[in-house]
Amino acid sequence: MTGRVAPHVCRAALLLLLVATGLPAQPASTAAPAVRTRTSVLLRPPIGVRDTGTSRRPASVTGVSAAMGTQPVALARDSSSSTMRLARELYGARARALTLRNTQRVMVFLDDSARIERAPPGLGVAEGVALPVRFVARDSATGDLMALKPWFDDGGGLRYDSRTASYVATLRLGVRDSLNGTRTRPLTPAVRFSIVAAADSVAPGTVALEETNVFTQSARLVTTRRDAAMRVEIWPDFAEQSIKVWVPFRRDTLLVAVDRPRVDGLGLDALTVTVAVPPGALASDDSIAVMLQSSRGTLEQQTLYPKGNAPATTRLRSAGIGAVSITARSAALDDGVTTTRFTAPLGLLAGAALGALAGSAMLILRDRTRSRRKHLVPVLASGILSGLVVALVVALGVLNLPGLDLPAGSGSLVALLAGVIGGYVGPKGLEALMPSLAAGRTAAPRD
């Protein structure tokens, strides 16, 4: 009985631990693959981008009067093709133009433009772009009717590719059989789309779709020119007009962060600045030059080189008191900005003063001579001043004492300990800690 209960108890304990720590109880192997919420394709040009009209039909788009018996068929014209009749029945008044490619396939242009709709599985996005063209065809093997609806997606837009120093988008195309959305059927001949854009390259220029309900065919769009968006024209085979969409540039932003939201000002503290690139913005081993600028303080390094898989860090020494803005800039990515604040070092000064007072008291208790008792106030004053000096030089990094690293933490407790040491050793001990002070006193001229 114990052997049966133990596994259940372990599972329950593990479940409680996962809930308590906020971790998902579902194993990673069963998690659903991540898909984007919606496509980034724009159906209209963004503000400031001019629509320069339609490009000339590419040579890859076969003319309507070309071979294979293709001919334009007006909507009101009778046709003996059963496929044509079925196309009219399916789309009716929505059809603006019907083109009979052969007795087995009709291309239908609709009145409406491209739309963003809930995408079928396999496109990689929850909401994609449905193109305003349909293909009514017969399955060459079974003779079953197919109503093909083309879908388009830009893969998330044009993103910077560090290896080619250009912006790249993966354009995906596929057709879904609206009458049978799960079964994959071969398309003979293939449904072809030509892609035209004012880019450095589009490869391949023609995408051939040879199966239904499969969205694996793609074209690679590459450009070195960065703008608000790039117009892409999709030409269905045998079409007299194109379908225009706009693919935006995905502006990846540099990630910049500091290790603390506030630090002591007046040069008494320093913080760590970390710069990273968003996941996927760079190849793992590639780096990019990033210029850092701070509204206050002094940066140890103004140029950092974060990699795709490793951030870069530097130190910022405080200066003055007030809000601080830190900006990271690069030629390929958008600026990253973070803020911090340089505050009055009240905690450091208070800790140093209390520590120095405690150190001076320890010195007086240790050396109970008549001279110490007679000059109690001067001894306390010199001890407090010595403690403050030790705390400040430790904070500035001039004096490195084992275990006291104020530039990395700048805590009141560390200042307190530094003040205790300074107050206890007094001016003579301060000269021992900092020989330059003793040397300066010895070298001073005497009257």
Side-chain angles (χ1 to χ4, degrees):
M1 184 66 180
T2 304
R4 296 180 180 178
V5 174
H8 296 289
V9 173
C10 293
R11 293 192 192 98
L14 179 60
L15 181 60
L16 290 175
L17 179 61
L18 292 174
V19 172
T21 56
L23 298 176
Q26 182 183 13
S29 59
T30 61
V35 296
R36 288 176 291 118
T37 303
R38 62 177 302 171
T39 184
S40 56
V41 177
L42 303 176
L43 304 183
R44 299 176 182 83
I47 298 176
V49 176
R50 294 179 58 188
D51 185 359
T52 56
T54 302
S55 301
R56 181 178 299 178
R57 186 173 61 187
S60 57
V61 177
T62 307
V64 171
S65 59
M68 299 182 65
T70 302
Q71 56 179 338
V73 180
L75 185 61
R77 179 178 174 181
D78 292 333
S79 173
S80 58
S81 169
S82 61
T83 309
M84 176 66 76
R85 292 196 301 269
L86 289 171
R88 291 173 179 170
E89 293 176 2
L90 285 174
Y91 299 103
R94 295 181 59 201
R96 184 175 59 184
L98 284 79
T99 301
L100 179 65
R101 176 167 182 178
N102 52 41
T103 58
Q104 300 297 324
R105 183 175 301 173
V106 175
M107 181 177 65
V108 183
F109 257 96
L110 306 180
D111 289 332
D112 55 345
S113 61
R115 293 181 176 179
I116 295 179
E117 301 177 2
R118 183 179 298 276
L123 191 61
V125 60
E127 290 184 353
V129 176
L131 301 182
V133 63
R134 303 290 185 267
F135 296 90
V136 179
R138 291 283 187 182
D139 188 335
S140 58
T142 64
D144 293 340
L145 182 67
M146 295 183 293
L148 306 179
K149 182 178 182 179
W151 288 86
F152 173 80
D153 183 58
D154 63 352
L158 285 155
R159 297 189 67 190
Y160 182 72
D161 184 350
S162 59
R163 295 182 177 178
T164 60
S166 59
Y167 296 88
V168 179
T170 301
L171 311 180
R172 303 184 66 187
L173 280 163
V175 291
R176 179 178 183 269
D177 185 359
S178 301
L179 301 180
N180 189 343
T182 58
R183 181 180 176 183
T184 299
R185 297 173 182 264
L187 292 175
T188 307
V191 175
R192 290 181 172 84
F193 292 90
S194 296
I195 301 175
V196 178
D200 294 352
S201 65
V202 180
T206 300
V207 177
L209 308 179
E210 299 178 344
E211 292 181 300
T212 64
N213 303 322
V214 176
F215 302 92
T216 58
Q217 299 299 316
S218 62
R220 181 179 170 91
L221 179 66
V222 180
T223 180
T224 54
R225 176 180 58 85
R226 178 172 173 173
D227 205 341
M230 175 168 289
R231 189 185 69 180
V232 174
E233 292 187 51
I234 305 169
W235 288 83
D237 202 4
F238 295 94
E240 292 290 349
Q241 66 186 76
S242 66
I243 303 164
K244 291 186 291 186
V245 294
W246 282 261
V247 176
F249 286 79
R250 179 171 175 179
R251 303 180 183 277
D252 287 313
T253 303
L254 288 167
L255 307 177
V256 55
V258 292
D259 59 342
R260 284 171 289 165
R262 59 183 65 235
V263 295
D264 289 334
L266 304 176
L268 297 178
D269 202 354
L271 52 79
T272 301
V273 181
T274 302
V275 177
V277 295
L282 293 180
S284 297
D285 296 330
D286 286 351
S287 62
I288 187 172
V290 176
M291 301 295 294
L292 279 180
Q293 183 178 4
S294 178
S295 59
R296 294 177 184 267
T298 303
L299 289 162
E300 290 183 359
Q301 295 174 278
Q302 292 186 329
T303 304
L304 299 180
Y305 296 89
K307 293 184 177 181
N309 58 358
T313 61
T314 187
R315 301 276 290 172
L316 173 63
R317 170 65 62 175
S318 67
I321 297 174
V324 184
S325 176
I326 304 171
T327 305
R329 293 188 171 93
S330 72
L333 305 180
D334 276 356
D335 297 350
V337 180
T338 190
T339 58
T340 187
R341 177 172 288 276
F342 295 157
T343 60
L346 300 179
L348 185 146
L349 295 177
L354 291 176
L357 184 61
S360 300
M362 292 171 58
L363 176 64
I364 294 174
L365 292 175
R366 187 197 66 178
D367 191 2
R368 299 181 179 179
T369 61
R370 179 179 298 178
S371 176
R372 295 285 188 188
R373 291 194 300 269
K374 184 177 180 181
H375 302 90
L376 182 62
V377 174
V379 170
L380 285 174
S382 63
I384 292 174
L385 291 176
S386 300
L388 289 173
V389 170
V390 171
L392 291 176
V393 296
V394 170
L396 292 172
V398 178
L399 179 63
N400 294 323
L401 297 179
L404 301 180
D405 189 10
L406 270 174
S410 185
S412 299
L413 179 59
V414 179
L416 177 68
L417 295 176
V420 169
I421 294 175
Y424 183 75
V425 299
K428 292 184 178 179
L430 185 60
E431 291 179 358
L433 292 174
M434 303 181 65
S436 59
L437 294 180
R441 182 175 57 81
T442 302
R446 295 183 179 180
D447 294 336

